[in-house]
Amino acid sequence: MAAYILRRLLLIIPTLFGIMIINFAIVQFVPGGPVDQILANLENLDTGFDRLGGSSADAGIVVSEDSRGYKGGVGLPPDFIESLNKQYGFDKPFWTRFGQMMKSYMVFDFGESYFRSIPVVDLVIEKMPVSITLGLWSTLIAYIIAIPLGIRKAVSDGSRFDTWSTTILIAAYAVPVFLFAVILVVLFAGGSYWNLFPLRGLTSDNFDELSLLGKVGDYFWHIALPITAMAIGSFTTLTILTKNLFLDEIKKQYVITARAKGASERRVLYGHVFRNAMLLITASFPSIFIGVFFGGSLFIETIFSLDGLGRMGFEAAVARDYPIMFGTMYFFTLFGLLVKILSDLMYVWIDPRIDFESRRV
C-alpha cells in the first residue's frame, strides 16, 4: 500500500502542473486583464489620475462628454500603460510569468491580491469558515437522511412508501439549489410570510456576549436555511444510490445463506448487507464533500449574504484578480487530489480485501 500511495503522490505533480498550465494559457487569451480592468475603471479620468498622482490635463488627455466605459486605453499616455504592465508583470512572456508563479506556489506563496493588497492566504483563511460550514454540515445532513431512508426504501421496495418517497425525492432534486434557497428566504427569512431565521452571516452581532449554549444555538440558527438549501439536492442522489446498493446486496447468495441459517432479518441487514453495501457510499464521503464544497456555495453565499470562498472566487474572476484566481485554484486542486487518495485509503479501511498494490496507477 505504501508503494501505491507514493505513486499517487508523485502523480499529483504532473496532474497539478497540467491543470495549472492549461488554465493559465486559456486566461492569456481572455480579454479584460487586470490592466484593462484598471483602465476601464478610469471612466472619470480626472478622478482616476488624481488617485494615481497625476491628472488627465497634465497627461494631455481629452475626454469626450459622452465617453462611457473602457475605450481600450485610447488617449492614455503610453508610459502610464507601460508602467501598469510592468507593475503587474505583464511586460514578461507568459511562460516566464507561469514559471515564476509555480515556483512561488510550490512553497505556498500565493502573493497579494491585485486590488485588495491583502495576501491571498489571509483571504482564504478569512473566508474558509463559511465554506467549510456549508460543505461539511450539508454533507453530514445528506448522509444522516439519505442512508436510513435508502435502507428503508430498499427493504420496502415497490411499496407505497417507496413510490411516494421516490416521487418526492425526484421533485426535490428537480428544483435548482438557488431556487429552493429563494423559496426558503421568502417563507422563513422575512420574505412574504414568517421571519423566523436571520438572513446574514454565521453569527449574531452579540455572539461574544452569549453563553456557550447560546453560541451553539445562535450558530445553528444562522446556518439552518443555507444548509437546508444545499443538502436538499445532495441527499436525493445519495438516497437512490443507497437503495440500489442494498437491493443489489440483498439478492446475493450470502444473504440467502444467512437467512437459511436462521439469522434474524436485522442481523442479515446490518450484520452482513450493511458493510458491503455501504462501501462505496462511505468511501466516497470525501469526494462528495468536495463536490458540495465547490458546487453550490456561490449561489448560497450570495442569497444568504455569506462571505465565503465561492463569492471571493467569483469576484476575483470578474475583476481578473489573478493571484486569487490561480492561488485558490492551485490550493484546491491540490486539496482535491489529496482527497482522492484519502478516498482510496477509506476503501481499504472499510474492506481490507481491496488491494490497490496490484494496480499500476
Side-chain angles (χ1 to χ4, degrees):
M1 192 63 186
Y4 170 76
I5 295 175
L6 180 60
R7 288 198 301 269
R8 288 294 300 272
L9 290 175
L10 293 177
L11 188 61
I12 286 177
I13 299 175
T15 304
L16 183 60
F17 184 86
I19 292 174
M20 293 300 298
I21 195 171
I22 289 174
N23 284 275
F24 190 87
I26 291 175
V27 167
Q28 307 310 307
F29 298 99
V30 177
V35 173
D36 294 336
Q37 293 291 318
I38 293 177
L39 299 179
N41 289 331
L42 294 179
E43 221 174 87
N44 185 338
L45 291 179
D46 283 331
T47 303
F49 271 83
D50 286 342
R51 291 196 205 102
L52 295 170
S55 68
S56 58
D58 294 337
I61 301 171
V62 179
V63 186
S64 61
E65 294 181 359
D66 60 346
S67 65
R68 302 189 185 280
Y70 172 50
K71 298 297 183 182
V74 174
L76 292 177
D79 293 343
F80 171 67
I81 298 177
E82 184 179 349
S83 66
L84 283 179
N85 284 317
K86 186 175 181 179
Q87 177 181 347
Y88 292 107
F90 295 113
D91 57 330
K92 303 174 183 176
F94 82 91
W95 54 84
T96 302
R97 288 185 281 117
F98 179 78
Q100 292 175 343
M101 182 184 75
M102 292 302 296
K103 183 178 179 181
S104 299
Y105 284 6
M106 288 178 64
V107 293
F108 296 96
D109 177 13
F110 301 122
E112 289 188 353
S113 166
Y114 282 160
F115 306 110
R116 302 188 190 184
S117 298
I118 301 174
V120 174
V121 173
D122 292 346
L123 286 172
V124 171
I125 293 174
E126 178 187 345
K127 314 296 184 183
M128 186 75 78
V130 172
S131 297
I132 290 181
T133 293
L134 295 177
L136 182 60
W137 282 111
S138 58
T139 305
L140 287 175
I141 290 176
Y143 268 79
I144 291 172
I145 296 175
I147 292 175
L149 182 58
I151 295 175
R152 173 71 185 279
K153 287 174 64 63
V155 172
S156 57
D157 183 43
S159 66
R160 294 181 63 183
F161 171 78
D162 181 40
T163 302
W164 281 105
S165 60
T166 300
T167 303
I168 295 173
L169 287 173
I170 294 176
Y173 184 74
V175 179
V177 173
F178 73 90
L179 180 58
F180 191 78
V182 171
I183 293 173
L184 291 178
V185 170
V186 172
L187 291 178
F188 303 111
S192 302
Y193 297 91
W194 302 281
N195 187 11
L196 303 178
F197 295 93
L199 193 57
R200 183 179 297 274
L202 292 180
T203 56
S204 301
D205 294 335
N206 63 336
F207 182 78
D208 294 333
E209 302 173 5
L210 300 175
S211 63
L212 178 59
L213 185 61
K215 290 180 179 180
V216 173
D218 183 76
Y219 172 73
F220 283 105
W221 182 46
H222 278 76
I223 69 173
L225 293 187
I227 294 303
T228 301
M230 290 193 69
I232 193 68
S234 303
F235 76 80
T236 299
T237 304
L238 201 55
T239 300
I240 302 300
L241 177 61
T242 302
K243 175 192 173 181
N244 292 337
L245 289 174
F246 267 79
L247 284 176
D248 185 57
E249 291 294 326
I250 288 173
K251 298 175 183 179
K252 291 185 177 179
Q253 185 62 43
Y254 74 89
V255 176
I256 299 175
T257 303
R259 286 172 174 167
K261 290 182 178 181
S264 65
E265 193 65 24
R266 184 178 182 84
R267 172 66 179 170
V268 171
L269 189 62
Y270 293 101
H272 298 280
V273 176
F274 186 84
R275 180 172 182 175
N276 293 327
M278 292 303 296
L279 172 63
L280 178 61
I281 297 173
T282 306
S284 61
F285 177 86
S287 299
I288 293 177
F289 168 68
I290 291 297
V292 175
F293 184 80
F294 293 115
S297 59
L298 172 59
F299 295 116
I300 299 300
E301 290 172 11
T302 302
I303 293 172
F304 291 98
S305 301
L306 299 172
D307 193 11
L309 293 172
R311 288 182 64 183
M312 184 183 75
F314 174 75
E315 292 170 357
V318 171
R320 302 297 194 270
D321 199 337
Y322 291 164
I324 295 180
M325 288 174 56
F326 292 118
T328 53
M329 180 186 299
Y330 177 89
F331 176 78
F332 290 115
T333 301
L334 177 62
F335 185 60
L337 293 172
L338 292 175
V339 164
K340 295 296 292 183
I341 299 178
L342 178 61
S343 296
D344 290 346
L345 295 178
M346 290 189 68
Y347 276 110
V348 177
W349 178 66
I350 295 172
D351 189 352
R353 295 173 299 176
I354 296 178
D355 182 19
F356 288 107
E357 214 41 71
S358 59
R359 297 177 57 181
R360 293 187 177 182
V361 180

